[in-house]
CSV table of all heavy atoms in Angstrom, one decimal:
chain,number,residue,atom,x,y,z
D,1,ILE,N,-4.4,-22.3,29.3
D,1,ILE,CA,-3.8,-21.0,28.8
D,1,ILE,C,-4.5,-20.4,27.7
D,1,ILE,O,-4.7,-19.2,27.5
D,1,ILE,CB,-2.3,-21.2,28.6
D,1,ILE,CG1,-1.6,-21.5,30.0
D,1,ILE,CG2,-1.7,-20.1,27.8
D,1,ILE,CD1,-0.1,-22.1,29.8
D,2,VAL,N,-4.8,-21.3,26.7
D,2,VAL,CA,-5.5,-20.9,25.5
D,2,VAL,C,-6.9,-20.3,25.9
D,2,VAL,O,-7.2,-19.2,25.4
D,2,VAL,CB,-5.7,-22.0,24.5
D,2,VAL,CG1,-6.6,-21.6,23.4
D,2,VAL,CG2,-4.4,-22.4,23.9
D,3,ALA,N,-7.5,-20.9,26.8
D,3,ALA,CA,-8.9,-20.3,27.3
D,3,ALA,C,-8.7,-19.0,27.9
D,3,ALA,O,-9.6,-18.1,27.7
D,3,ALA,CB,-9.6,-21.3,28.2
D,4,LEU,N,-7.7,-18.9,28.7
D,4,LEU,CA,-7.4,-17.5,29.4
D,4,LEU,C,-7.1,-16.5,28.5
D,4,LEU,O,-7.4,-15.3,28.7
D,4,LEU,CB,-6.3,-17.7,30.5
D,4,LEU,CG,-6.7,-18.6,31.7
D,4,LEU,CD1,-5.4,-18.7,32.5
D,4,LEU,CD2,-7.7,-18.0,32.5
D,5,LEU,N,-6.6,-16.8,27.3
D,5,LEU,CA,-6.3,-15.8,26.3
D,5,LEU,C,-7.4,-15.6,25.3
D,5,LEU,O,-7.7,-14.4,25.0
D,5,LEU,CB,-5.0,-16.2,25.5
D,5,LEU,CG,-3.7,-16.2,26.4
D,5,LEU,CD1,-2.6,-16.8,25.5
D,5,LEU,CD2,-3.4,-14.8,26.9
D,6,LEU,N,-8.0,-16.7,25.0
D,6,LEU,CA,-9.0,-16.6,23.9
D,6,LEU,C,-10.3,-16.1,24.4
D,6,LEU,O,-11.0,-15.3,23.6
D,6,LEU,CB,-9.3,-18.1,23.3
D,6,LEU,CG,-10.1,-18.3,22.1
D,6,LEU,CD1,-9.6,-17.4,20.9
D,6,LEU,CD2,-10.2,-19.6,21.7
D,7,ILE,N,-10.8,-16.3,25.5
D,7,ILE,CA,-12.1,-15.9,26.0
D,7,ILE,C,-12.2,-14.4,26.1
D,7,ILE,O,-13.1,-13.8,25.5
D,7,ILE,CB,-12.6,-16.6,27.3
D,7,ILE,CG1,-12.9,-18.0,26.9
D,7,ILE,CG2,-13.8,-16.0,27.9
D,7,ILE,CD1,-13.2,-19.0,28.1
D,8,PRO,N,-11.2,-13.7,26.7
D,8,PRO,CA,-11.2,-12.2,26.7
D,8,PRO,C,-11.2,-11.6,25.4
D,8,PRO,O,-11.8,-10.6,25.0
D,8,PRO,CB,-10.2,-11.8,27.6
D,8,PRO,CG,-9.7,-13.0,28.4
D,8,PRO,CD,-10.1,-14.2,27.6
D,9,GLN,N,-10.4,-12.2,24.5
D,9,GLN,CA,-10.1,-11.8,23.2
D,9,GLN,C,-11.5,-12.0,22.4
D,9,GLN,O,-12.0,-11.0,21.6
D,9,GLN,CB,-9.2,-12.6,22.4
D,9,GLN,CG,-8.9,-12.3,21.0
D,9,GLN,CD,-7.8,-13.1,20.4
D,9,GLN,OE1,-7.3,-14.1,21.0
D,9,GLN,NE2,-7.5,-13.0,19.1
D,10,GLY,N,-12.3,-13.0,22.5
D,10,GLY,CA,-13.5,-13.3,22.0
D,10,GLY,C,-14.5,-12.2,22.4
D,10,GLY,O,-15.4,-11.8,21.6
D,11,LEU,N,-14.5,-11.9,23.7
D,11,LEU,CA,-15.4,-10.9,24.2
D,11,LEU,C,-15.2,-9.6,23.7
D,11,LEU,O,-16.1,-8.9,23.2
D,11,LEU,CB,-15.3,-10.9,25.8
D,11,LEU,CG,-15.6,-12.0,26.6
D,11,LEU,CD1,-15.3,-11.8,28.1
D,11,LEU,CD2,-17.1,-12.4,26.4
D,12,ALA,N,-13.9,-9.2,23.4
D,12,ALA,CA,-13.6,-7.9,22.9
D,12,ALA,C,-14.0,-7.8,21.4
D,12,ALA,O,-14.5,-6.8,20.9
D,12,ALA,CB,-12.2,-7.6,23.0
D,13,TYR,N,-13.7,-8.9,20.6
D,13,TYR,CA,-14.0,-9.0,19.2
D,13,TYR,C,-15.4,-8.9,19.0
D,13,TYR,O,-16.0,-8.5,18.0
D,13,TYR,CB,-13.3,-10.2,18.6
D,13,TYR,CG,-11.8,-10.0,18.4
D,13,TYR,CD1,-11.0,-11.1,18.2
D,13,TYR,CD2,-11.2,-8.7,18.5
D,13,TYR,CE1,-9.6,-11.0,18.1
D,13,TYR,CE2,-9.8,-8.7,18.4
D,13,TYR,CZ,-9.0,-9.8,18.2
D,13,TYR,OH,-7.7,-9.6,18.0
D,14,ALA,N,-16.2,-9.5,19.9
D,14,ALA,CA,-17.7,-9.5,19.7
D,14,ALA,C,-18.2,-8.0,19.8
D,14,ALA,O,-19.0,-7.5,19.1
D,14,ALA,CB,-18.4,-10.4,20.7
D,15,GLN,N,-17.7,-7.3,20.8
D,15,GLN,CA,-18.1,-5.9,20.9
D,15,GLN,C,-17.6,-5.1,19.7
D,15,GLN,O,-18.3,-4.2,19.3
D,15,GLN,CB,-17.6,-5.4,22.2
D,15,GLN,CG,-18.2,-6.0,23.4
D,15,GLN,CD,-17.7,-5.5,24.8
D,15,GLN,OE1,-16.5,-5.3,24.9
D,15,GLN,NE2,-18.6,-5.4,25.7
D,16,LEU,N,-16.5,-5.5,19.2
D,16,LEU,CA,-15.9,-4.7,18.0
D,16,LEU,C,-16.8,-5.0,16.8
D,16,LEU,O,-17.1,-4.1,16.0
D,16,LEU,CB,-14.5,-5.3,17.7
D,16,LEU,CG,-13.8,-4.6,16.5
D,16,LEU,CD1,-13.6,-3.1,16.7
D,16,LEU,CD2,-12.5,-5.3,16.2
D,17,ALA,N,-17.5,-6.1,16.7
D,17,ALA,CA,-18.4,-6.4,15.7
D,17,ALA,C,-19.7,-5.9,15.9
D,17,ALA,O,-20.6,-6.1,15.1
D,17,ALA,CB,-18.5,-8.0,15.5
D,18,GLY,N,-20.0,-5.3,17.1
D,18,GLY,CA,-21.3,-4.6,17.4
D,18,GLY,C,-22.2,-5.7,18.0
D,18,GLY,O,-23.4,-5.5,18.0
D,19,LEU,N,-21.7,-6.8,18.5
D,19,LEU,CA,-22.5,-7.8,19.2
D,19,LEU,C,-22.3,-7.8,20.7
D,19,LEU,O,-21.4,-7.3,21.1
D,19,LEU,CB,-22.1,-9.1,18.6
D,19,LEU,CG,-22.4,-9.4,17.1
D,19,LEU,CD1,-21.6,-10.5,16.5
D,19,LEU,CD2,-23.8,-9.4,16.8
D,20,PRO,N,-23.3,-8.4,21.5
D,20,PRO,CA,-23.1,-8.6,22.8
D,20,PRO,C,-21.8,-9.3,23.2
D,20,PRO,O,-21.5,-10.3,22.4
D,20,PRO,CB,-24.3,-9.3,23.3
D,20,PRO,CG,-25.4,-9.2,22.2
D,20,PRO,CD,-24.5,-9.0,20.9
D,21,ALA,N,-21.2,-9.0,24.3
D,21,ALA,CA,-19.9,-9.7,24.6
D,21,ALA,C,-20.1,-11.2,24.8
D,21,ALA,O,-19.3,-12.0,24.4
D,21,ALA,CB,-19.4,-9.1,25.9
D,22,SER,N,-21.4,-11.6,25.2
D,22,SER,CA,-21.6,-13.1,25.4
D,22,SER,C,-21.5,-13.8,24.1
D,22,SER,O,-21.1,-15.0,24.1
D,22,SER,CB,-23.0,-13.3,25.9
D,22,SER,OG,-24.0,-12.8,25.1
D,23,GLY,N,-21.7,-13.1,22.9
D,23,GLY,CA,-21.6,-13.8,21.6
D,23,GLY,C,-20.1,-14.2,21.4
D,23,GLY,O,-19.9,-15.1,20.7
D,24,GLY,N,-19.2,-13.4,22.0
D,24,GLY,CA,-17.8,-13.8,21.9
D,24,GLY,C,-17.5,-15.0,22.5
D,24,GLY,O,-16.5,-15.7,22.2
D,25,LEU,N,-18.2,-15.5,23.6
D,25,LEU,CA,-17.9,-16.8,24.2
D,25,LEU,C,-18.3,-17.9,23.2
D,25,LEU,O,-17.5,-18.8,23.1
D,25,LEU,CB,-18.9,-16.9,25.4
D,25,LEU,CG,-18.4,-16.1,26.7
D,25,LEU,CD1,-19.4,-16.2,27.8
D,25,LEU,CD2,-17.1,-16.3,27.2
D,26,TYR,N,-19.3,-17.8,22.5
D,26,TYR,CA,-19.7,-18.7,21.6
D,26,TYR,C,-18.7,-18.8,20.3
D,26,TYR,O,-18.3,-19.8,20.0
D,26,TYR,CB,-21.1,-18.5,20.9
D,26,TYR,CG,-22.1,-18.7,22.0
D,26,TYR,CD1,-22.9,-17.5,22.4
D,26,TYR,CD2,-22.4,-19.9,22.7
D,26,TYR,CE1,-23.9,-17.6,23.4
D,26,TYR,CE2,-23.3,-20.0,23.7
D,26,TYR,CZ,-24.0,-18.8,24.0
D,26,TYR,OH,-25.0,-19.0,25.0
D,27,ALA,N,-18.3,-17.5,19.9
D,27,ALA,CA,-17.3,-17.5,18.9
D,27,ALA,C,-15.9,-18.0,19.2
D,27,ALA,O,-15.1,-18.3,18.4
D,27,ALA,CB,-17.2,-16.1,18.4
D,28,SER,N,-15.7,-18.1,20.6
D,28,SER,CA,-14.4,-18.6,21.0
D,28,SER,C,-14.4,-20.1,21.2
D,28,SER,O,-13.4,-20.7,21.0
D,28,SER,CB,-14.0,-17.9,22.3
D,28,SER,OG,-13.9,-16.6,22.2
D,29,ILE,N,-15.5,-20.6,21.7
D,29,ILE,CA,-15.5,-22.0,22.2
D,29,ILE,C,-16.0,-22.9,21.0
D,29,ILE,O,-15.3,-23.9,20.7
D,29,ILE,CB,-16.5,-22.2,23.4
D,29,ILE,CG1,-15.9,-21.4,24.6
D,29,ILE,CG2,-16.7,-23.6,23.7
D,29,ILE,CD1,-16.8,-21.3,25.8
D,30,VAL,N,-17.0,-22.6,20.3
D,30,VAL,CA,-17.6,-23.5,19.3
D,30,VAL,C,-16.6,-23.7,18.2
D,30,VAL,O,-16.4,-24.9,17.8
D,30,VAL,CB,-18.9,-22.9,18.6
D,30,VAL,CG1,-19.4,-23.7,17.5
D,30,VAL,CG2,-20.0,-22.9,19.8
D,31,PRO,N,-15.8,-22.7,17.6
D,31,PRO,CA,-14.9,-23.1,16.6
D,31,PRO,C,-13.7,-24.1,17.0
D,31,PRO,O,-13.3,-24.9,16.3
D,31,PRO,CB,-14.3,-21.8,16.2
D,31,PRO,CG,-15.3,-20.8,16.5
D,31,PRO,CD,-16.0,-21.3,17.8
D,32,VAL,N,-13.4,-23.9,18.3
D,32,VAL,CA,-12.3,-24.8,18.8
D,32,VAL,C,-12.9,-26.3,18.9
D,32,VAL,O,-12.1,-27.1,18.5
D,32,VAL,CB,-11.8,-24.4,20.1
D,32,VAL,CG1,-10.9,-25.3,20.9
D,32,VAL,CG2,-11.2,-22.9,20.0
């Protein structure tokens, strides 16, 4: 459940930061 919520959120936040969406995957998984 956390992954289903966190991964799309990470993708969106990466784009908000001006980064490729794939960077959001790393920002979602590595800190956890």
Side-chain angles (χ1 to χ4, degrees):
I1 291 170
V2 167
L4 290 173
L5 296 172
L6 186 63
I7 291 174
Q9 179 182 359
L11 297 174
Y13 288 160
Q15 291 176 325
L16 179 63
L19 297 166
S22 60
L25 292 175
Y26 299 112
S28 298
I29 296 169
V30 173
V32 172

